[in-house]
Amino acid sequence: MIEFYYAKSNPKETIEEHTEKLLDNLNLLKEIYPNIKNIDWDILYVICKYHDLGKINPKFQTKIGNYIEDNFKDMKEIPHNFLSPCFLPKKKIKKLLESKNYNEQEINKYLIIIYQSIYWHHEREEPENLINLFKDYKEEIQNLIKDYIFAIDKEKLKFNPSIGRFVSKPIENQIEDYGEDILYEYILHKGLLNKIDYSASAGLPIEISPEPLSDYVIKFLKKEYNSNLNDLQEYMKANENKNIVVIASTGYGKTEAGLLWIGKNKGYFTLPVKVSINSIYRRLLNKIKLKKEKVGLLHSDTLSELLKDASSYKFDEDYYNLTKNKSLPLTITTLDQIIKFIFKYNGYEYDLAHLSYSKIIIDEIQMYNSKMLAYLIIALKYIDKIGGKFSIITATFPPFIYDLMKNYNINIELSENMFLSNKKRHKIKVFKEDILNLKINKSKEKVLIIANTIKKSQEIYDLISKSEEYSEYNIELLHSRFINKDRKEKEDLIIKVGNKQKNGKYIFISTSIVEASLDIDFDILYTELLDLNSLFQRMGRCYRKRELKEGFNNVNIFIGNEKNSPSGTNIKEFIDREIFEYSKEEIFKYDNKYISEEDKQKMIKSIFNTEKLKETEYFKNIKNYLNYWNEIEKGSVEKKYINLREIDNCTIIPKTIYNKYSDIIEEKYSKITNLKKDYENKKRFIEINNLIEDIKKYSVNIPSYMIKSNNIKLNLVENIEINKYKKLYILNYDYSKEKGIGKYLGKVEEDNFI
């Protein structure tokens, strides 16, 4: 008589032990978030209890070291997820459902959900003639369970392979018979099984209990500003159970308002730019004093960012894993980390289900391109349907986005009140010429110049840095093509300069990377025009909270002329030309005038409405993306190929930088190589990643078109192989700490591979 069967081999774990871990996590989830919409906890219990019983078969048990005689040696192993539903006690489950007063159609619906949640909890290819194979297996498995008592609920198991009526027709094809609810209830139950199962296998709690964020916000406002909640913050707190769009001026306390809306719930705070996310994350910990173990940081460079702090605290691998598992109560993240599910890759239910009990804040929505906006609208449709909540808090909100959301039947409420500052902060001067003709007002100490493209920013830097006229200024350039080491120094410096923490006169030249959520405040701004949304973000970096009392033109906008348009405005992928022209017309109306927050809203409504945009390429692109991705079939896209942000970059080390630091780089790479072989070292994961981060300080991401346009064959150039997925290519690009990446200087003779 066999007393137990194994579920895991390393370390060994019986099916009962593994299932108990699942049920513990199920109870923890129920305890922390008891009111998840559309969840039936008893049904989820059944799904968790029986999900792994298909591992009771000779082939699986022998594979993991529990040898059992196999009478079907020539037959391929049937993956356990397909076998597990055959152990379900259908009559007992029907009685459970009847006791809940479900009608016959509802009982059939939930039976389909239970069977398919288990059947597809691993998304494997279904073997041919599977139902017939079940029948061949029946006698073999019945012999295995004949004297076996399943310890969970002390149950005598039976094997019934007659499950075809419940699993042969995909859930998506059941909507006609059972309505759309069957799809969302299936996503919820199957997705939560996946999350519970993964957490149990990883030895992680499925969720960490949240704390009331309002307590922290109120305490912070009292201590920092000696103030109570403002009208925006009161509004968000009062509407915490609604999906809402709120328009509020820069500096109005939107971050605090968002935390009040999340309350004592699971929350995500999303921003489009990583540097802004890092800044908000540190502000929440250091200023608002949220507990670190309750707040996660999640983007493509999370590990790098956390390792930066490893000198001040021991790196917490559990914290890092909880962050990746999306188990923390509050996570600051990029949007792509939580909405990939729209591609309906196999297993997407895992990524959508937990959003049913989450509240999502979307900040800076106007910064997303047409494709990302389409992705977001589709995601919000699903999140709304499955029971999650979202709030859009933004300085400007294009009305056409609201129309598109309504077209997709998304429940959303646009606040009638706009929370706008009545301070006069900006007075505009419009120049019909190239920004290279700018004349800087030298009476101002902190000057910010923003170009639309990196190339233009470098041209401006050359012009100003070589001019004797501005010799009393420290002149700095910041864009995305500096090596990480130099970029970090420049980002730290602009924050100090922009917060008046640095003495002296500064001219900072930059690009759109300073637009989003950087808390900087310069005395005067010179900028190229791109579109109104971008312009208003840039204006938020000058006189951010101050009132303009002197009456000078503190915002100087260069709109170009017939011969010279602002950089980037003739590039189709960069900006829709019609939107640029509309923006130019609007902004010129305010030449040499103050522009109020209300004026900005009127201008946005004037341009970014459905009627005005419907014939533009920009709007047509959004509609096309919406139509395509809304109808995508499950499994037609593989998760590993999803690049939501469509950032097609290549990571390089400029040859001059490599030559300068080669001894350091090679020493660290040698240590990585040795550590990879040191299997006894329990800290090697951290040590290897610290060394990788040290090497990456000398690297920079460049767009792939810079590789293609210079006809660079990456397989023939020097590289540093970080792992099987990542290489750093050593390329002969001109580079300086002052200007960043310049021209490609041609092929390097040596072909050394590290």
Side-chain angles (χ1 to χ4, degrees):
M1 173 180 162
I2 295 177
E3 295 183 1
F4 54 80
Y5 293 100
Y6 286 119
K8 307 282 181 185
S9 60
N10 187 23
K12 285 203 169 180
E13 187 174 79
T14 66
I15 292 173
E16 282 91 347
E17 288 169 338
H18 178 61
T19 305
E20 287 285 7
K21 287 182 179 180
L22 263 77
L23 297 178
D24 287 344
N25 262 319
L26 168 60
N27 289 330
L28 179 62
L29 178 64
K30 185 178 178 181
E31 179 187 329
I32 296 174
Y33 300 113
N35 301 315
I36 300 175
K37 183 181 175 185
N38 295 325
I39 194 72
D40 186 307
W41 294 107
D42 293 325
I43 287 174
L44 188 56
Y45 177 91
V46 169
I47 292 169
C48 289
K49 176 181 172 181
Y50 293 93
H51 85 288
D52 256 1
L53 288 179
K55 291 178 178 178
I56 303 177
N57 76 76
K59 293 184 188 297
F60 182 87
Q61 289 299 311
T62 299
K63 184 171 67 177
I64 64 170
N66 187 22
Y67 179 76
I68 294 174
E69 187 178 353
D70 184 1
N71 295 321
F72 295 94
K73 289 188 172 71
D74 296 331
M75 188 186 297
K76 285 186 177 180
E77 180 186 353
I78 298 176
H80 75 271
N81 53 290
F82 298 125
L83 285 168
S84 292
C86 300
F87 289 88
L88 285 166
K90 187 175 70 173
K91 289 181 181 178
K92 186 178 175 182
I93 295 168
K94 281 187 78 172
K95 281 185 181 179
L96 170 68
L97 298 173
E98 286 166 357
S99 73
K100 292 171 171 287
N101 296 319
Y102 290 131
N103 62 37
E104 189 175 346
Q105 187 180 38
E106 288 171 326
I107 288 170
N108 285 330
K109 177 183 78 171
Y110 285 120
L111 283 170
I112 291 167
I113 288 170
I114 291 167
Y115 275 84
Q116 293 215 24
S117 293
I118 296 174
Y119 194 79
W120 293 112
H121 80 271
H122 293 297
E123 302 270 0
R124 298 179 171 119
E125 188 175 348
E126 198 174 23
E128 290 182 18
N129 302 316
L130 186 56
I131 302 302
N132 291 328
L133 289 175
F134 284 161
K135 291 171 184 173
D136 293 337
Y137 257 65
K138 184 176 180 179
E139 186 178 345
E140 180 90 355
I141 291 177
Q142 281 178 335
N143 286 331
L144 293 179
I145 62 176
K146 180 173 57 177
D147 300 316
Y148 174 68
I149 302 296
F150 187 36
I152 312 293
D153 299 328
K154 301 289 188 288
E155 184 175 352
K156 187 84 175 69
L157 298 176
K158 292 182 180 179
F159 185 80
N160 178 10
S162 301
I163 65 171
R165 63 177 286 230
F166 300 114
V167 300
S168 59
K169 192 175 176 183
I171 284 287
E172 289 79 6
N173 296 343
Q174 306 269 8
I175 292 172
E176 188 176 338
D177 296 326
Y178 296 98
E180 198 178 44
D181 285 351
I182 192 172
L183 173 62
Y184 289 99
E185 290 182 63
Y186 168 75
I187 290 170
L188 187 57
H189 288 84
K190 191 256 189 186
L192 288 181
L193 165 64
N194 290 145
K195 185 167 173 62
I196 290 167
D197 191 13
Y198 177 83
S199 299
S201 297
L204 298 170
I206 186 169
E207 295 289 352
I208 301 296
S209 182
E211 294 182 316
L213 296 177
S214 56
D215 292 354
Y216 288 90
V217 171
I218 290 166
K219 187 176 179 180
F220 166 73
L221 292 174
K222 220 35 168 177
K223 183 180 178 182
E224 194 79 6
Y225 305 110
N226 194 27
S227 68
N228 298 316
L229 303 185
N230 63 26
D231 50 352
L232 165 65
Q233 292 155 354
E234 291 282 9
Y235 176 85
M236 294 295 286
K237 196 168 188 295
N239 289 276
E240 62 181 356
N241 294 317
K242 294 179 180 177
N243 297 333
I244 49 177
V245 177
V246 180
I247 298 169
S249 299
T250 299
Y252 215 101
K254 291 186 294 218
T255 302
E256 292 82 356
L259 297 178
L260 290 162
W261 178 79
I262 291 172
K264 193 180 179 181
N265 294 284
K266 185 176 181 67
Y268 289 95
F269 203 115
T270 71
L271 287 154
V273 182
K274 283 185 285 189
V275 66
S276 307
I277 290 168
N278 297 338
S279 176
I280 292 272
Y281 172 73
R282 299 193 189 288
R283 183 168 178 263
L284 293 179
L285 297 183
N286 300 330
K287 292 282 189 180
I288 302 180
K289 301 296 182 184
L290 298 186
K291 294 177 183 174
K292 182 178 179 294
E293 62 268 23
K294 303 277 187 177
V295 185
L297 175 74
L298 186 62
H299 52 62
S300 58
D301 288 326
T302 294
L303 183 59
S304 307
E305 197 61 29
L306 295 179
L307 285 170
K308 288 176 187 175
D309 293 336
S311 57
S312 57
Y313 69 88
K314 182 183 175 184
F315 184 82
D316 189 339
E317 200 166 342
D318 285 342
Y319 169 77
Y320 175 58
N321 289 330
L322 284 167
T323 300
K324 288 196 301 178
N325 196 40
K326 303 184 177 84
S327 297
L328 297 176
L330 179 63
T331 304
I332 320 303
T333 183
T334 46
L335 200 56
D336 59 291
Q337 294 288 334
I338 59 170
I339 69 166
K340 288 178 183 174
F341 63 81
I342 65 164
F343 293 96
K344 295 184 186 174
Y345 43 81
N346 288 332
Y348 81 96
E349 299 90 353
Y350 173 102
D351 291 317
L352 176 53
H354 81 282
L355 298 178
S356 66
Y357 54 92
S358 300
K359 300 179 79 174
I360 303 161
I361 291 173
I362 299 142
D363 197 0
E364 314 286 12
I365 192 172
Q366 72 287 342
M367 289 192 69
Y368 295 115
N369 63 23
S370 55
K371 190 172 280 191
M372 199 68 181
L373 267 179
Y375 294 158
L376 175 59
I377 290 166
I378 294 168
L380 294 181
K381 181 191 82 167
Y382 280 103
I383 291 165
D384 180 40
K385 286 276 189 184
I386 208 164
K389 297 291 179 191
F390 65 89
S391 172
I392 298 169
I393 312 178
T394 181
T396 57
F397 183 70
F400 78 88
I401 299 177
Y402 183 78
D403 295 342
L404 289 172
M405 288 179 178
K406 284 298 182 183
N407 289 346
Y408 279 82
N409 299 313
I410 297 170
N411 292 308
I412 185 157
E413 186 176 298
L414 180 60
S415 170
E416 292 181 5
N417 297 327
M418 290 189 288
F419 301 92
L420 306 177
S421 170
N422 56 14
K423 289 180 181 176
K424 289 184 176 180
R425 298 188 297 129
H426 300 121
K427 190 180 177 190
I428 284 174
K429 180 64 184 170
V430 180
F431 295 88
K432 287 186 174 179
E433 53 186 305
D434 193 294
I435 196 169
L436 291 174
N437 295 320
L438 86 169
K439 297 291 180 187
I440 293 171
N441 181 343
K442 292 199 289 181
S443 68
K444 306 305 168 191
E445 284 203 343
K446 313 297 185 200
V447 179
L448 181 61
I449 302 171
I450 302 179
N452 293 339
T453 64
I454 291 172
K455 183 181 178 184
K456 196 71 169 184
S457 72
Q458 291 172 326
E459 289 174 5
I460 297 168
Y461 177 83
D462 282 338
L463 180 76
I464 292 175
S465 62
K466 291 172 184 175
S467 171
E468 289 293 324
E469 192 176 352
Y470 305 113
S471 57
E472 75 254 44
Y473 283 94
N474 297 288
I475 300 165
E476 296 287 344
L477 176 62
L478 170 63
H479 53 68
S480 60
R481 288 186 208 150
F482 285 94
I483 61 171
N484 292 323
K485 177 174 171 288
D486 294 342
R487 179 170 171 175
K488 176 71 169 61
E489 290 175 13
K490 288 170 179 288
E491 286 173 348
D492 291 344
L493 180 60
I494 196 172
I495 289 170
K496 286 179 181 176
V497 171
N499 281 302
K500 308 295 186 286
Q501 296 169 355
K502 194 81 175 169
N503 294 327
K505 299 180 79 171
Y506 278 86
I507 296 173
F508 242 105
I509 303 153
S510 192
T511 60
S512 59
I513 65 168
V514 298
E515 287 179 17
S517 296
L518 274 183
D519 194 2
I520 54 177
D521 185 8
F522 280 74
D523 297 328
I524 193 165
L525 171 68
Y526 299 86
T527 180
E528 292 187 288
L529 179 65
L530 190 61
D531 72 352
L532 286 186
N533 278 319
S534 174
L535 175 64
F536 295 156
Q537 287 295 115
R538 295 174 185 188
M539 288 168 65
R541 312 306 131 200
C542 169
Y543 274 70
R544 186 168 173 80
K545 297 177 183 177
R546 293 178 284 165
E547 187 161 10
L548 181 63
K549 295 177 180 177
E550 303 93 325
F552 69 98
N553 297 314
N554 64 342
V555 176
N556 300 273
I557 305 162
F558 291 80
I559 64 173
N561 51 41
E562 291 179 3
K563 291 183 179 179
N564 291 303
S565 289
S567 61
T569 55
N570 287 319
I571 303 171
K572 188 177 179 182
E573 291 75 17
F574 206 76
I575 184 69
D576 186 287
R577 183 71 193 191
E578 288 173 89
I579 291 177
F580 167 73
E581 294 295 341
Y582 291 150
S583 299
K584 192 163 72 170
E585 289 171 18
E586 281 296 317
I587 205 67
F588 205 71
K589 295 174 186 176
Y590 289 84
D591 185 29
N592 217 29
K593 294 178 183 176
Y594 280 99
I595 181 169
S596 69
E597 296 302 306
E598 287 186 1
D599 292 331
K600 293 176 187 176
Q601 302 306 325
K602 287 175 188 173
M603 294 164 77
I604 291 292
K605 286 179 181 177
S606 171
I607 292 178
F608 292 95
N609 62 76
T610 303
E611 186 61 32
K612 190 149 191 171
L613 292 185
K614 65 183 181 182
E615 297 303 323
T616 64
E617 285 298 312
Y618 171 76
F619 191 79
K620 288 176 183 175
N621 284 341
I622 293 175
K623 294 284 284 184
N624 289 337
Y625 295 139
L626 283 168
N627 292 336
Y628 180 79
W629 291 110
N630 192 50
E631 300 298 328
I632 192 169
E633 289 187 9
K634 182 179 175 180
S636 59
V637 176
E638 286 190 57
K639 188 175 183 180
K640 64 182 178 181
Y641 295 124
I642 293 170
N643 182 7
L644 206 79
R645 300 175 79 195
E646 295 197 318
I647 299 173
D648 188 12
N649 280 341
C650 178
T651 307
I652 74 162
I653 300 177
K655 182 64 179 174
T656 52
I657 295 297
Y658 180 76
N659 289 342
K660 184 176 180 181
Y661 297 103
S662 60
D663 289 348
I664 296 171
I665 292 170
E666 289 175 20
E667 179 192 352
K668 291 183 184 299
Y669 188 77
S670 176
K671 287 180 179 178
I672 291 171
T673 304
N674 292 331
L675 279 166
K676 284 180 178 178
K677 301 171 188 171
D678 186 5
Y679 302 110
E680 300 300 315
N681 186 346
K682 293 180 180 179
K683 294 181 180 179
R684 70 187 186 122
F685 170 79
I686 304 304
E687 291 176 9
I688 287 171
N689 279 286
N690 269 317
L691 289 164
I692 289 171
E693 291 309 311
D694 285 344
I695 293 174
K696 283 168 66 178
K697 288 176 185 175
Y698 306 103
S699 71
V700 56
N701 288 329
I702 63 172
S704 292
Y705 72 76
M706 289 176 66
I707 303 295
K708 293 169 188 171
S709 63
N710 288 304
N711 200 27
I712 299 170
K713 305 237 178 334
L714 291 179
N715 61 320
L716 299 178
V717 301
E718 298 175 79
N719 67 74
I720 298 171
E721 188 173 305
I722 297 298
N723 54 47
K724 61 181 178 180
Y725 305 109
K726 183 77 172 175
K727 291 180 180 178
L728 306 180
Y729 295 95
I730 301 166
L731 295 180
N732 199 16
Y733 271 95
D734 186 25
Y735 182 85
S736 70
K737 186 169 184 175
E738 293 73 31
K739 291 178 61 178
I741 287 282
K743 290 181 179 179
Y744 182 57
L745 302 177
K747 185 183 175 185
V748 180
E749 299 258 339
E750 312 93 82
D751 279 323
N752 301 319
F753 292 80
I754 295 181

